Amino acid sequence: MPNEEKPVQIIADHSLTSPRIYANYVQVSTSPVDCTLTFCDVIGPQNEEDALRMQKTGTLPAPVKVVIAIPNQIVDGLIQALQAQREKQASEGKPANGTTVQ
C-alpha cells in the first residue's frame, strides 16, 4: 500500500506558552518572499520634554515589541482569518476599536 498523505491539523498548544505581548500599533512591509509585521506599543509623551520634542519633530518613537515575518504563501489565509474574526465581532454587536495599522 503506498504512503498516503494525510492532512495534519495544527492546533495551538497552550501548555507551551510564551509571554503575551501587547501592541497597539503595527507597521507592515513586504518583500518578494515574505510579509513583515512590526508591532509597537505607543504610549505617548511621558513628560513635557517628550511632548515638546514630539511637537518639534513631528515624530513619536514607539518601542518595538516584536517583529514577525511570515511567508507570502500564508498572507491570504491570515487576511481571511482576520476578516472572519472581525465579522464575528461585528455580528456580536461589539464596536471596532481604533487600532492603527500602517
Side-chain angles (χ1 to χ4, degrees):
M1 176 185 245
N3 289 342
E4 293 181 32
E5 287 190 28
K6 295 181 182 177
V8 175
Q9 180 181 4
I10 299 171
I11 58 169
D13 185 344
H14 295 281
S15 69
L16 304 171
T17 61
S18 59
R20 180 179 185 268
I21 298 170
Y22 176 81
N24 57 5
Y25 176 85
V26 61
Q27 187 174 35
V28 180
S29 61
T30 59
S31 78
V33 295
D34 61 27
C35 177
T36 300
L37 307 169
T38 302
F39 291 91
C40 301
D41 185 9
V42 179
I43 55 176
Q46 297 299 295
N47 54 47
E48 190 173 335
E49 182 181 327
D50 289 348
L52 290 172
R53 186 180 311 112
M54 182 182 75
Q55 188 177 23
K56 182 178 179 180
T57 64
T59 61
L60 176 62
V64 173
K65 294 299 183 176
V66 67
V67 177
I68 300 174
I70 59 173
N72 285 334
Q73 294 89 332
I74 68 169
V75 170
D76 286 341
L78 174 62
I79 291 169
Q80 290 171 6
L82 290 171
Q83 287 174 333
Q85 289 301 310
R86 182 67 166 229
E87 290 168 7
K88 180 180 174 185
Q89 181 184 29
S91 71
E92 293 172 354
K94 297 178 182 176
N97 62 23
T99 302
T100 302
V101 177
Q102 186 181 52

